[in-house]
Amino acid sequence: MFNFLRNKPDCPPLCQLDQLYKHTISKLPINEKIAYCERLVESARYQLAHACPKKDLGHFKNLLSAAESELLQLRLLA
């Protein structure tokens, strides 16, 4: 009834959703991490806006949320 009062469920961090980021990108300089996250956000938004299968919809939403969150944190460090 009062769905607007609930907090959104926590999205897992990007390193749990993206193995390439976890094992490779996370070891690169901050500028490279930012560039990767920006491309990931663009890609996820494109997938969501176009013919994304319903079974993948949740994954892309989580990936987008995690990438945006990581991007905000990286920009604060840069």
Side-chain angles (χ1 to χ4, degrees), residues 12-28 36 40 59 63 66:
L14 185 58
C15 61
Q16 287 183 357
L17 297 174
D18 187 348
Q19 294 300 310
L20 176 64
Y21 186 82
K22 179 179 181 180
H23 295 293
T24 306
I25 305 298
S26 64
K27 295 171 178 66
L28 296 175
Y36 178 81
L40 188 59
H59 172 71
L63 194 59

Side-chain angles (χ1 to χ4, degrees), residues 2 4 10-11 24 29 31 34 37 40 44 52 58 70 72 74:
F2 294 104
F4 62 90
D10 289 333
C11 181
T24 306
N31 292 339
I34 290 173
C37 288
L40 188 59
C52 176
E70 186 72 17
L72 287 174
L74 290 171

Side-chain angles (χ1 to χ4, degrees), residues 19-66:
Q19 294 300 310
L20 176 64
Y21 186 82
K22 179 179 181 180
H23 295 293
T24 306
I25 305 298
S26 64
K27 295 171 178 66
L28 296 175
I30 289 179
N31 292 339
E32 297 297 323
K33 292 180 199 176
I34 290 173
Y36 178 81
C37 288
E38 287 173 343
R39 287 190 302 271
L40 188 59
V41 165
E42 288 176 19
S43 175
R45 284 185 180 154
Y46 178 85
Q47 291 295 328
L48 288 170
H50 292 83
C52 176
K54 286 187 179 181
K55 65 179 178 123
D56 296 333
L57 194 62
H59 172 71
F60 282 115
K61 285 183 178 180
N62 283 339
L63 194 59
L64 178 60
S65 177

